[in-house]
Amino acid sequence: MTIYLPGDVVNEPSSSDSSIIGYGINVRGETKVASQPGVYRSDEGKMWLNVHSKRYIPQEGDRVIAIVTSKTGDFFRLDIGTAEYAMVNFTNFEGATKRNRPNLKTGDIIYASVFDTTPRTEAELTCVDDEKRARGMGQLNGGFMFNVSLNHCRRLIHPECKILQTIGKFFKFEITVGMNGRIWMNAAGVDDIIKIHDVIVKSEFVKEDDELINLVQNGYTRSVSD
Amino acid sequence: MVGRLREMRCEVSFLKNADGSASFSQGATCVWASCSGPGDVHASKANEEAMTLDVSYRTNCGDNKFHELNNIIQSTLSKAINLELFPHTSAAVTIHGIQDDGSIGAVALNGACFALLDNGMPFETVFCGVLVVRLKDELIVDPTAKQEAASTGRVLFSICRGSDGGPEVCSMDAIGPWDFEQLEAAWCYAQPSARAIFDFYRNVMQRKHSVDEQ
Amino acid sequence: MRLQPLTICEKAVITEALKSGKRFDFRHLEEFREVRLIVGAEVGTAICSIGNTKVMAAVSAHIAEPSPMRPHKGVINIDVDLSPMANYANEHDRLGSKGMELIRLLELIIRDSRCIDVESLCIRAGKEIWKIRVDVRVLDEDGSLLDCACLAAITALQHFRRPNVTLEPHHTLIYSEYEKAPVPLSIYHMPICTTIGLLDKGQMVVIDPTDKEAACLDGSIVVACNKRKEVCALHQSTNLVLSTKQIERCVKLAMSRAEALTVVVSDVIKQDQKERSAYKRPEGFAITVPELILTAGTAAARQLHPDVKEEPMEEETRQPRAYQPSVILN
């Protein structure tokens, strides 16, 4: 596991046959040069660097958690943590028609997917897939939202990561992870929300081993306050 | 010639609000640096073609509007970051000089690079700063405050990595009379210094990313 | 850069938690965050951190002419710097309403409460006085900004030593620290500030709120008092109507806090004095990096060996190096 700093030439043995160059690597002529600090990863013909960062840059296909800031005409204006605002057309919700508009107010949050990121314009999001079905997207009701870094979000939803599973052994909860560093979750009571929030935030710098189980166990048994 | 780099210590990601932050010290000279961006920019300052970079070096005491270090830090950052990647956005880099025991300019540049690495923003090459002073015909690298105050000439090299991976001068700020041979000799001592600092960047980042080992 | 807006669900959960006495950092409603105070190697510098909020204060002095209306009183100026490091919504060199409020409140607490004897800062009445400048740099914001700034400023003022002077008939002699020991400022008392958040129209009290908590509260009141049980300042910036009983309760909490923190400040100053009088070089803000955390690193001091230049093989190609100036002067 080697780290690449910006300006390093990426010289991995599998790099010659990889066809898709991903995040963090630029191609200059014949050489592949890292442009962000990260650990090299490769999988099935794709190569990229796993970068640690906190600020989201919109990518098509990402599922993000967006906060509604205003309503203008046919669009809702959203904040997804990027430089420009994002927007979603009110027809891009499941079951929405011209008469039946989604009832969102300022401060509500939705889970949507990015489908258009033309530079210098607002990113456009949608809450339905091509067949007009929600597939888990749409408004998130109740619960609690908080921020973590982007790499932690990616780690949480990785199939081999055991953090959420371990938490699930002790708590009953539901969770949605946005690629823009925002996590929404709902649990039985305020106590549980506070404990799970603490565990998820602290697990960012804990490796996947016994330390993790200890962390979750301590979180479960710790009392919130008297 | 005395070539010695003081002990370096660094902690990254320790500020809650900044996207990337670093606390870096060489010997007793210490700076805190932060880099936030790319984020939205006010219409009055927006640049349609490139990112607006807002760089400021701030001292402990006094008015902070103008400082001589702002020039070299701004020019180094403009070269290191490809500003045209993020048009109509802005980034803010702030470096606070917390304690000054000599070569504060070099420490500020190194701190800024750590903050940029911690931010995770794309940029072209890592950079560092090395200060070389001349004290009675002797060249000293990374001087303490006493040595710097007694020196007759100072040159601050801002060094980035060239295309072959070796150190290359990106910007230079010289004060006092220097002749060509002395500058070349100073550069001879600045290069291994730069390599040592680049190695330190790698070690710290490696340690930070070791949480991804699976 | 704009801030992330507060969502309805965040506000609902935080308010519900506070109303049942629970907080996200596992504190009680009336519990303060951990306070850490470090003084620097240079006299008059201090960094204070309360939880995640970090503020640095530095004190400096120079001689100036007094104002004609107060010819025998020194002057204390306070300057606050809010940079994007503290909060990316700030801009460099621009204060904004929050910064102006902070300056005004610090002036109220430090200058208007007369905690420093300004008459002792006079050198020659009508001609020369000491102007003390307190620079407050906000490094990270997470609620209780005024508390942290006030504590850092007070510690820095206690830590500061101004040069010793003697008056000669026609001039003033200023001694360096090597000739005569510098003199501490004459400080009467230490005003300590406490931010108390209020919920439910003033019925519930939330001590030392973080930024997120402060956004969900109804308002907050700021009480500055010292260990002699004197109230130095009282300030409210929101539109709450409070009863006398509620204010008295807040003042009581602030007083016990002031006593505890005054002890902390005195301990830190005493410890620093001990080290300096033993001629030990103070560590100041040198970073102590805990070995176990993953986000820190250390590199030992090392000797450098300059790159050895290889001599070219053929001697004929070596030209004597001629330094060509780019500008030729007549």
Side-chain angles (χ1 to χ4, degrees), chain B residues 11-25:
Chain B
E11 188 180 346
V12 291
S13 293
F14 71 108
L15 289 181
K16 177 181 160 281
N17 276 331
D19 290 342
S21 55
S23 150
F24 176 73
S25 75

Side-chain angles (χ1 to χ4, degrees), chain B residues 1-6 189 192-193 196, chain C residues 300-306:
Chain B
M1 296 190 201
V2 176
R4 161 202 115 274
L5 198 58
R6 290 179 286 180
Y189 265 98
S193 208
Chain C
R302 66 196 63 195
Q303 290 287 330
L304 301 167
H305 301 284

Side-chain angles (χ1 to χ4, degrees), chain C residues 7 148 222 238 253 284 304:
Chain C
T7 57
C148 206
V222 165
T238 44
L253 286 163
L304 301 167

Side-chain angles (χ1 to χ4, degrees), chain B residues 191-206:
Chain B
Q191 281 169 309
S193 208
R195 277 196 217 102
I197 298 174
F198 290 148
D199 279 340
F200 185 50
Y201 289 166
R202 202 173 291 277
N203 289 340
V204 172
M205 285 288 123
Q206 179 112 3

Side-chain angles (χ1 to χ4, degrees), chain A residues 1-9 23-24 26 28 33-39 41 50-57 81-85 119-120 151-152 155 158 160-161 203-208, chain B residues 13 15-20 36-41 48-49 85-90 116-126 161-163 198 201-203 205-206 208-214:
Chain A
M1 186 209 77
T2 39
I3 184 114
Y4 283 96
L5 295 182
D8 285 351
V9 175
Y23 200 61
N26 280 340
R28 274 194 216 134
V33 176
S35 68
Q36 281 160 290
V39 172
R41 291 261 178 267
N50 189 17
V51 177
H52 284 199
S53 58
K54 276 200 214 169
R55 196 166 280 266
Y56 178 63
I57 295 171
T82 56
E84 304 274 359
Y85 283 104
R120 297 174 218 204
N151 47 292
H152 194 47
R155 178 182 169 197
H158 196 275
E160 281 176 37
C161 172
S203 64
E204 182 169 350
F205 290 113
V206 170
K207 294 194 195 181
E208 301 257 348
Chain B
S13 293
L15 289 181
K16 177 181 160 281
N17 276 331
D19 290 342
S36 287
D40 68 295
V41 64
E48 290 300 333
E49 306 298 317
L85 273 182
F86 301 107
H88 207 77
T89 59
S90 74
L116 223 58
L117 283 169
D118 188 43
N119 187 342
M121 197 158 75
F123 58 105
E124 305 287 304
T125 161
V126 286
R161 265 216 303 229
S163 40
F198 290 148
Y201 289 166
R202 202 173 291 277
N203 289 340
M205 285 288 123
Q206 179 112 3
K208 183 180 180 226
H209 282 72
S210 66
V211 75
D212 290 332
E213 258 170 48
Q214 265 148 342

Side-chain angles (χ1 to χ4, degrees), chain C residues 109-161:
Chain C
I109 294 172
I110 294 175
R111 198 165 62 183
D112 299 350
S113 72
R114 283 172 255 179
C115 67
I116 300 181
D117 179 13
V118 285
E119 298 196 1
S120 69
L121 294 174
C122 176
I123 304 171
R124 232 184 260 272
K127 296 231 181 73
E128 287 166 359
I129 47 139
W130 282 110
K131 251 199 186 157
I132 305 285
R133 189 194 158 108
V134 182
D135 283 291
V136 173
R137 307 262 180 258
V138 180
L139 299 170
D140 200 7
E141 268 185 58
D142 191 22
S144 294
L145 192 52
L146 183 56
D147 299 6
C148 206
C150 182
L151 200 59
I154 292 294
T155 313
L157 284 165
Q158 290 267 358
H159 194 236
F160 180 63
R161 302 278 177 271

